[in-house]
Structure formats: C-alpha cells, structure tokens
Amino acid sequence: MTDTHQQGGGESVAVDVSQIPVVILCGGQGTRIREASERLPKPMIAIGEQPIVWHIMKTYYAHGFRKFVLALGYKSDVIKAHFLDRKRLSSDVVLRPGQEPEFIGGDRSEEEWEITLVETGLDSGTGGRVKLVSKYLDAPYFMLTYGDGIGDVDITAQVKFAVEQDRLACLTGVHPASRYGEMHVDDTGTKVVEFNEKPTLATGWVSGGFFMMKREFIDSYLADIADEDMLEKTPLQRVARDGQLSVFEHEGFWMGMDTFRDWKELNELWAAGEASWKIWKD
C-alpha cells in the first residue's frame, strides 16, 4: 500500500507502509499483572484465544503494514516459540519410523508478515531496546508501539498526518479512562443525578504509544544513551524541546493492559463482540 502525502514544505512523498517496520516493545516483566506474567511475558497474555501482541500486529496489518520487529527481553523464548510453532502446534502430526514428522492441516490463516525477533536483554529500557533493534530498521520511517497497548487508532490517518507535519517523531495522544466512578451532583450538593462507572478523562492527553518516527530520530536522540535508558525520559523530552514531536490526537478506544482488571475488561469486550480495535475480518 503506497500513499502520497505532502510534507510541510509542500513536497510530495510516497510512503509504502508495507516497507515500514513496526517495532513492538515486548521485553518488560509486567510486574503489575503478576497473576499471568509469572508464566508468560505480558505481550503473550491472551485476549480471547490469541496473545495481545497478535491483536496489535493484526491492527497494523489491517492498515497495510507487513514488517514487524519485536524487541524481546523477559521470557523471550516464549515469544519465539509462539511464532516458530504457530502452525506446527496447530497441526495433526503423523510420526513414522525413520521419517521426518508430517504435519497435516493446522493454521492456514498465516498472515503475510515478516517478523524479526530481537534479543534486547532482560534489563534494557524502552529507549535502549529501540537502539538495539535499530540495525534492522532500514527504511526512512519506522513505527513504534508497546506490546501491551491496544486501540482503534486510525494508523493510516496517522501516517498521513506525520508525513505532513514533517517532524522527527509523532506520537498518538489519548484520553485515559478513569478507574473511579464519576458523579454529577445537583445544585444542592446532596443528590447524584448521573453516575459513570469508567468515564474518559477528556481534560488532557497522555501518550498512547503508536509512534511514527523518522529513522534519523535514532541517530539524533538514541545514539548516546545506555541500554537501560527509557525512551520516555531524555529522548522524548529532548525531541519535544527541539520542536520535533507531533501529536496525533485519538478520541476513540485505547487501553493499556497494565493490571488483571484491564485484562479481564479486554477479554469481556472481545467475548461480547465489542472489541472496537478488531478492524480485520476473520
């Protein structure tokens, strides 16, 4: 899928998203969702029958992206095994003396995606992980997101916006949902007239991930950082101060799967057929 967009200076730029790598940060230990992350790395915790990282990849895939770079750390072997064994473990297996196993049937819906699984260390920070996978980022742009955040972000529109803004980095801004019930009280101050279980905090923006960056961002802001450094600290603070960070405002659904409660809610949405991030067809 190739789109032509106008850069800030008026120059038309062709962007083939199938050649833009999508970096997914999959190395964290998920300490706040310990119930599952003691057995699995957080990106492998399932929504429905598939791990959340699959849902994230399917979202990008639906927008035309085909190349994925997963930055691994905690329990990296589990993520590698999932992708290596995805078809083999879903097949019938015939074992014959002296012959290689024969795999019959299995998952025939393999997407046409290229996946690079990169060991970036157990203790690396998010900035260090991006730096460590940079040798696999050979396009003028790359996308970047976290392995535990899901949403119905219009990534095609974000690509168009980022190219038009022509800055080194663009992040998706979201309104987080409150974990507390919101009450609207009448003028007497004694009666609740409306109660919302989980309202959206529309008064401010937070980063929802889903970055689009120029390859130059790595050389300018990550080249000198240590492996344990966080992307969200000095690199993003500096690029913002330099006027090189755009925000693509997303008013729709977004959730980070930080806790068991988040995992439960995401699975309830999926089971009820109300997963707004599912923009692909089965």
Side-chain angles (χ1 to χ4, degrees):
M1 180 185 298
T2 302
D3 294 317
T4 300
H5 306 301
Q6 294 290 122
Q7 278 191 337
E11 178 185 357
S12 295
V13 177
V15 179
D16 182 0
V17 297
S18 70
Q19 297 304 308
I20 295 179
V22 179
V23 177
I24 306 179
L25 297 169
C26 297
Q29 297 189 32
T31 54
R32 286 185 290 177
I33 192 167
R34 180 67 69 185
E35 295 91 343
S37 64
E38 287 184 349
R39 297 181 298 105
L40 298 170
K42 192 170 13 170
M44 293 304 299
I45 297 173
I47 300 174
E49 296 182 355
Q50 295 288 352
I52 188 172
V53 71
W54 177 88
H55 291 259
I56 296 166
M57 293 169 71
K58 287 287 284 188
T59 300
Y60 277 96
Y61 189 78
H63 285 278
F65 293 85
R66 298 293 181 266
K67 299 176 71 174
F68 297 89
V69 179
L70 275 55
L72 309 182
Y74 177 68
K75 293 187 180 293
S76 62
D77 57 317
V78 176
I79 300 177
K80 286 181 175 178
H82 171 79
F83 288 105
L84 287 169
D85 294 342
R86 186 176 170 198
K87 180 173 175 59
R88 184 171 65 88
L89 293 181
S90 64
S91 302
D92 297 336
V93 184
V94 179
L95 301 175
R96 299 183 180 91
Q99 298 183 28
E100 292 293 321
E102 180 184 358
F103 299 97
I104 302 172
D107 187 351
R108 297 186 180 276
S109 61
E110 294 286 345
E111 295 79 6
E112 294 179 356
W113 51 31
E114 173 188 313
I115 305 172
T116 304
L117 304 166
V118 187
E119 293 286 354
T120 59
L122 184 62
D123 299 318
S124 296
T126 50
R129 294 191 195 282
V130 178
K131 178 182 175 181
L132 290 166
V133 305
S134 62
K135 59 187 175 183
Y136 297 105
L137 307 180
D138 54 2
Y141 298 94
F142 67 96
M143 311 302 286
L144 172 66
T145 195
Y146 302 94
D148 60 357
I150 199 76
D152 57 358
V153 178
D154 187 344
I155 300 171
T156 297
Q158 182 185 6
V159 170
K160 181 177 184 295
F161 174 83
V163 173
E164 289 172 348
Q165 293 297 307
D166 195 24
R167 296 188 177 101
L168 287 183
C170 176
L171 62 77
T172 299
V174 300
H175 296 303
S178 172
R179 296 190 183 278
Y180 304 98
E182 177 188 55
M183 296 183 295
H184 292 260
V185 180
D186 70 2
D187 293 338
T188 69
T190 62
K191 183 172 69 173
V192 176
V193 295
E194 183 180 351
F195 184 88
N196 297 313
E197 179 188 4
K198 198 169 184 180
T200 296
L201 299 179
T203 56
W205 297 95
V206 300
S207 171
F210 291 90
F211 297 87
M212 181 173 181
M213 296 177 168
K214 292 186 179 181
R215 179 62 175 74
E216 305 151 53
F217 173 85
I218 294 171
D219 298 328
S220 298
Y221 295 96
L222 299 183
D224 298 327
I225 69 170
D227 288 356
E228 62 270 19
D229 285 349
M230 301 298 289
L231 175 73
E232 299 78 10
K233 291 188 177 179
T234 300
L236 286 182
Q237 291 169 0
R238 283 181 55 209
V239 76
R241 285 197 301 266
D242 292 345
Q244 287 294 318
L245 180 61
S246 299
V247 58
F248 177 75
E249 297 180 351
H250 173 61
E251 298 281 2
F253 176 84
W254 175 87
M255 182 182 290
M257 192 179 68
D258 290 326
T259 66
F260 179 77
R261 176 179 174 177
D262 297 330
W263 171 81
K264 188 169 181 279
E265 182 173 344
L266 288 169
N267 272 278
E268 287 172 351
L269 289 171
W270 184 262
E274 298 174 0
S276 61
W277 68 88
K278 185 181 182 296
I279 58 173
W280 60 88
K281 295 181 179 180
D282 294 326

